[in-house]
């Protein structure tokens, strides 16, 4: 089939497409270099024996074999990461409570919203230092309050204790992301049509049932989003863990991402770190899928 | 609600208090209101460590990231409003890229950066942050909201593609530009892991790295550390409080569209 459109049209069209390509190219090159290429390379690297100054060698699944069979630290880090992610529904539930309060006819709701959200745009490194200080056994606020209230007589070493270090880090993380969850849920709450509530009220549906049967189902997309943020958070928590405990004591607060950093840039074992990254990425994909199912099908595609 | 707010604010207060307190921050019981407040710690931070140097690095990287984002995101966002072959694939590609957390690619990203020869430079730190997919879509949405008739009228008047963009699209997209500047400046200001991997020499370190380094050198034995924390937090908080609306809108629109 020949193009019957006039010549000038085709020339114009070519020029238009050239413009589009020029405009898109920088961003696409950037994403290719820093998202797509690394992802593929990462997978490839994980099947190799790599060390600086030596040609890489294909070794198949040896890195994975070492990880799954011989590396206790890997299992601990995986467990910690799962605990870390598993706790995020608690934060989401708390955020939902706050969002409901802010959304009701409360005086000064905007101020409360600002205050709760205030910790989110903070530098995570600084958040880590702040919380280290709060947990401090001598000058820390938490120990001070607990001692004053008479719960304990000796100061607790939160971040040095094997049992308390991970929960302590998780609490600090909650403090930072709570505001973000709240904002997402608040946006979701505000998009629920008011007339549904009015209709329910006219029909005499009690408040608890209204919450269960109107608010929660319609909030599903927002809750799903919060879950995804919580899962991604296990990646971004690197800054916090690095500053607060650096994975210690022992490996009590080691997450996969800190382990990746240590293997890659501490021991220059890029191949092994790449294999760890593959595992964490798969974990991310699987958990996101599960969260999507839990939130009821294609919840993520609310706005397309 | 008041209780929750107080709980959320205590960490801020405690750090501020410590940064203002004098010699012995370990006195027990710790004072609730700083005794004899002074600013020695802040002076200390400025002179004892290369704080101005860190600040300069952070500012340079943040400026690069913001400029790069404005340039690339407006261009890409504009291109996406046009009709071209394989557009669906490009959009799909961008959406799927959004799901790849940057942290999941650090090992090859490091190798690529070293291959490009920009390890330990400002450009190297800023490079992966030069464009953000969420922001491309924010621009796309904003450009699509510009009435078609306006653009056609401009075309008929003989304005070139470029002029249409600069004269009509951009002035009408000020909120999108604001969101872009705010989100990206806060993100690059706070970035830690990537600069940690990329920089070798202390002269290239940005503020968060300086902060972590300061912590490891001094442990937490001085109030100066907390003065440092306060100094680092102030710019981010200031930007956030001034532009809260754009910040939240940007985050939620980006998030819900993901």
């Amino acid at each position: 089939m020949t193009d019957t459109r006039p010549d000038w049209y085709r020339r114009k069209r070519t020029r238009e497409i050239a413009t589009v390509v020029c405009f898109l190219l920088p961003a696409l090159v950037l994403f290719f270099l820093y998202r797509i290429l690394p992802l593929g390379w990462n997978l490839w690297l994980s099947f190799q024996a790599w060390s600086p100054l030596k040609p890489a060698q294909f070794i198949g699944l040896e890195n994975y074999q070492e990880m799954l069979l011989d590396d206790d630290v890997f299992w601990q880090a995986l467990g910690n990461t799962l605990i870390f992610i598993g706790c995020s529904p608690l934060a989401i539930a708390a955020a939902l409570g706050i969002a409901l309060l802010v959304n009701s006819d409360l005086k000064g709701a905007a101020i409360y919203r600002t205050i709760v959200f205030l910790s989110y745009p903070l530098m995570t490194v600084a958040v880590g230092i702040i919380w280290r200080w709060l947990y401090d056994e001598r000058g820390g606020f938490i120990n001070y309050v607990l001692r004053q209230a008479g719960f304990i007589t000796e100061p607790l070493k939160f971040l040095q204790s094997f049992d308390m270090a991970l929960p302590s880090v998780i609490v600090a993380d909650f403090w930072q992301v709570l505001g973000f969850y709240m904002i997402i849920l608040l946006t979701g709450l505000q998009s629920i049509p008011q007339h549904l509530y009015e209709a329910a009220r006219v029909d005499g549906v009690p408040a608890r049932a209204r919450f269960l049967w109107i608010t929660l189902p319609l909030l599903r997309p927002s809750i799903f989003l919060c879950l995804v943020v919580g899962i991604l958070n296990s990646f971004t928590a690197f800054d916090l863990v690095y500053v607060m405990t650096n994975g210690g004591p022992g490996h009590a607060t080691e997450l996969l991402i800190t382990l990746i950093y240590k293997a890659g840039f501490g021991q220059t074992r890029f191949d092994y770190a790449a294999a760890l990254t593959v595992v964490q990425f798969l974990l991310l994909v699987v958990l996101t899928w599960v969260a999507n199912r839990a939130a009821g099908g294609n919840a993520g595609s609310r706005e397309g | 609600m008041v209780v929750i707010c107080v709980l959320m604010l205590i960490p801020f207060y405690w750090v501020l208090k410590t940064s203002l307190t004098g010699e012995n921050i370990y006195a027990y019981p710790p004072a609730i209101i700083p005794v004899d407040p002074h600013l020695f710690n802040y002076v200390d931070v400025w002179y004892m460590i290369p704080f101005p140097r860190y600040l300069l690095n952070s500012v340079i990287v943040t400026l690069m990231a913001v400029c790069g984002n404005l340039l690339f995101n407006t261009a890409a966002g504009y291109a996406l409003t046009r009709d071209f072959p394989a557009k669906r694939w490009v959009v799909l590609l961008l959406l799927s890229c959004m799901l790849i957390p940057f942290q999941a690619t650090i090992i090859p990203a490091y190798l690529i950066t070293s291959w490009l020869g920009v390890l330990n430079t400002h450009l190297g730190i800023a490079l992966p942050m030069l464009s953000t997919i969420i922001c491309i879509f924010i621009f796309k949405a904003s450009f699509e909201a510009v009435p078609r008739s306006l653009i056609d009228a401009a075309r008929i008047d003989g304005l070139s593609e470029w002029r249409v963009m600069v004269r009509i699209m951009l002035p009408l997209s000020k909120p999108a530009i604001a969101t872009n500047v705010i989100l990206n400046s806060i993100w690059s200001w706070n970035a830690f892991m990537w600069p940690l991997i990329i920089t070798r020499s202390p002269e290239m370190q940005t503020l968060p790295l300086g902060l972590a380094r300061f912590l490891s050198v001094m442990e937490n034995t001085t109030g100066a550390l907390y003065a440092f924390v306060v100094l680092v937090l102030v710019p981010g908080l200031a930007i956030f409080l001034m532009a809260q609306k754009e910040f939240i809108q940007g985050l939620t629109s980006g998030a819900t569209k993901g």
Side-chain angles (χ1 to χ4, degrees):
Chain A
M1 201 177 93
T2 49
D3 196 346
T4 52
R5 283 174 293 192
D7 212 31
W8 64 265
Y9 178 84
R10 256 185 297 155
R11 243 181 298 139
K12 182 168 168 272
R13 185 88 188 120
T14 318
R15 226 181 39 224
E16 218 178 276
I17 290 176
T19 321
V20 165
V21 169
C22 286
F23 274 16
L24 264 180
L25 212 56
L28 283 185
V29 166
L30 207 64
F31 292 128
F32 178 75
L33 267 182
Y34 279 104
R35 295 290 154 97
I36 299 167
L37 183 63
L39 203 64
W41 191 347
N42 196 63
L43 189 64
W44 177 234
L45 200 58
S46 71
F47 295 124
Q48 288 179 323
W50 186 97
S51 58
L53 310 175
K54 262 196 285 180
Q57 208 184 348
F58 187 83
I59 52 164
L61 292 173
E62 261 176 56
N63 282 322
Y64 293 95
Q65 201 180 352
E66 180 189 339
M67 178 164 66
L68 297 175
L69 298 180
D70 305 327
D71 195 348
D72 294 337
V73 180
F74 162 73
W75 287 107
Q76 194 167 7
L78 183 68
N80 288 341
T81 308
L82 285 175
I83 293 174
F84 202 92
I85 296 171
C87 283
S88 61
L90 289 176
I92 296 172
L96 180 60
I98 298 173
L100 285 170
L101 277 176
V102 171
N103 200 36
S104 62
D105 307 320
L106 200 68
K107 251 192 201 159
I111 299 168
Y112 292 133
R113 196 189 58 187
T114 306
I115 292 175
V116 175
F117 193 64
L118 202 58
S119 52
Y120 179 72
L122 297 185
M123 186 183 286
T124 316
V125 176
V127 172
I129 294 179
I130 293 175
W131 278 87
R132 241 179 104 116
W133 182 231
L134 288 174
Y135 283 128
D136 191 272
E137 53 182 304
R138 281 172 295 173
F141 181 77
I142 296 172
N143 268 315
Y144 168 68
V145 169
L146 289 178
R147 270 165 89 176
Q148 285 311 82
F151 288 124
I152 49 170
T153 46
E154 283 295 297
L156 293 171
K157 296 179 172 187
F158 285 101
L159 295 174
Q160 283 83 36
S161 123
F162 281 92
D163 298 325
M164 277 185 292
L166 188 60
S168 303
V169 172
I170 291 175
V171 167
D173 182 62
F174 275 11
W175 180 72
Q176 195 179 16
V177 293
L178 194 66
F180 190 36
Y181 290 144
M182 180 202 65
I183 289 292
I184 296 175
L185 292 169
L186 204 55
T187 318
L189 279 177
Q190 279 157 2
S191 71
I192 298 176
Q194 278 303 313
H195 64 81
L196 287 180
Y197 290 106
E198 278 152 30
R201 214 169 291 141
V202 171
D203 290 349
V205 180
R208 240 183 63 203
R210 283 204 298 266
F211 175 75
L212 269 181
W213 298 107
I214 301 177
T215 311
L216 270 188
L218 287 170
L219 263 187
R220 269 183 177 176
S222 308
I223 293 175
F224 167 69
L225 210 66
C226 286
L227 287 173
V228 172
V229 171
I231 295 167
L232 280 173
N233 208 18
S234 66
F235 273 100
T236 45
F238 173 81
D239 306 10
L240 198 64
V241 175
Y242 183 89
V243 171
M244 283 181 79
T245 59
N246 199 13
H251 292 284
T253 53
E254 198 84 74
L255 298 181
L256 281 175
I257 188 73
T258 58
L259 193 61
I260 290 168
Y261 173 78
K262 281 178 187 167
F265 299 96
Q267 311 163 356
T268 336
R269 294 194 57 203
F270 281 16
D271 46 0
Y272 192 58
L276 286 170
T277 310
V278 170
V279 170
Q280 169 142 31
F281 188 69
L282 286 180
L283 187 72
L284 171 88
V285 172
V286 170
L287 284 177
T288 309
W289 183 77
V290 170
N292 192 8
R293 290 305 296 263
N298 53 352
S301 61
R302 190 172 67 171
E303 262 184 88
Chain B
M1 202 62 219
V2 175
V3 176
I4 294 166
C5 286
V6 169
L7 281 178
M8 293 301 282
L9 285 177
I10 281 174
F12 289 106
Y13 175 72
W14 201 247
V15 161
L16 194 64
K17 184 224 99 183
T18 312
S19 74
L20 291 170
T21 310
E23 295 297 306
N24 187 8
I25 58 172
Y26 285 115
Y28 190 88
I32 292 298
I33 296 158
V35 199
D36 179 24
H38 58 70
L39 292 171
F40 287 163
N41 287 327
Y42 290 86
V43 181
D44 257 12
V45 166
W46 194 269
Y47 290 108
M48 225 165 55
I49 55 166
F51 183 81
R53 179 78 223 179
Y54 295 147
L55 185 66
L56 183 70
N57 287 333
S58 264
V59 169
I60 291 175
V61 170
T62 304
L63 278 180
M64 282 170 106
V66 169
C67 293
N69 267 291
L70 280 182
L71 197 67
F72 296 155
N73 296 350
T74 45
Y78 182 60
L80 287 180
T81 61
R82 307 300 298 272
D83 203 26
F84 59 94
K87 177 178 166 179
R88 273 190 49 216
W89 292 104
V90 172
V91 172
L92 200 67
L93 185 80
L94 288 177
L95 282 178
S96 47
C97 276
M98 208 152 96
L99 297 177
I100 308 173
F102 180 66
Q103 284 89 345
T105 60
I106 42 163
I107 305 282
Y110 173 82
L111 294 173
I112 290 167
T113 312
S114 93
W115 175 70
L116 290 172
V118 286
L119 278 187
N120 204 21
T121 63
H122 292 126
L123 182 63
I125 302 175
L127 202 53
M129 298 190 265
L130 285 187
S131 183
T132 333
I133 298 169
I134 291 178
C135 294
I136 291 180
F137 284 107
I138 291 177
F139 268 120
K140 177 174 177 268
S142 157
F143 289 152
E144 270 166 356
V146 175
R148 193 76 218 162
S149 55
L150 207 61
I151 301 167
D152 289 339
R155 288 251 169 72
I156 291 167
D157 287 348
L159 256 65
S160 66
E161 199 77 22
W162 188 247
R163 298 270 295 274
V164 170
M165 170 115 176
V166 175
R167 283 288 177 75
I168 296 175
M169 299 297 232
L170 287 183
L172 286 174
S173 305
K174 278 193 188 123
I177 295 175
T179 308
N180 242 275
V181 170
I182 294 154
L183 285 182
N184 285 303
S185 49
I186 287 188
W187 281 335
S188 57
W189 183 261
N190 292 349
F192 175 65
M193 193 179 186
W194 180 244
L196 176 71
I197 290 164
I198 283 299
T199 53
R200 298 261 175 71
S201 54
E203 297 88 66
M204 280 324 245
Q205 286 184 331
T206 54
L207 281 172
L209 293 182
L211 197 52
R213 187 183 155 88
F214 190 61
L215 175 71
S216 64
V217 173
M218 309 294 286
E219 281 301 323
N220 37 1
T221 47
T222 116
L225 177 67
Y226 304 101
F228 196 167
V229 169
V230 172
L231 283 177
V232 163
L233 290 185
V234 163
L237 279 180
I239 294 178
F240 167 68
L241 287 176
M242 280 187 304
Q244 199 192 151
K245 210 176 107 226
E246 280 85 358
F247 184 82
I248 290 175
Q249 261 171 10
L251 276 181
T252 48
S253 71
T256 44
K257 273 181 190 130

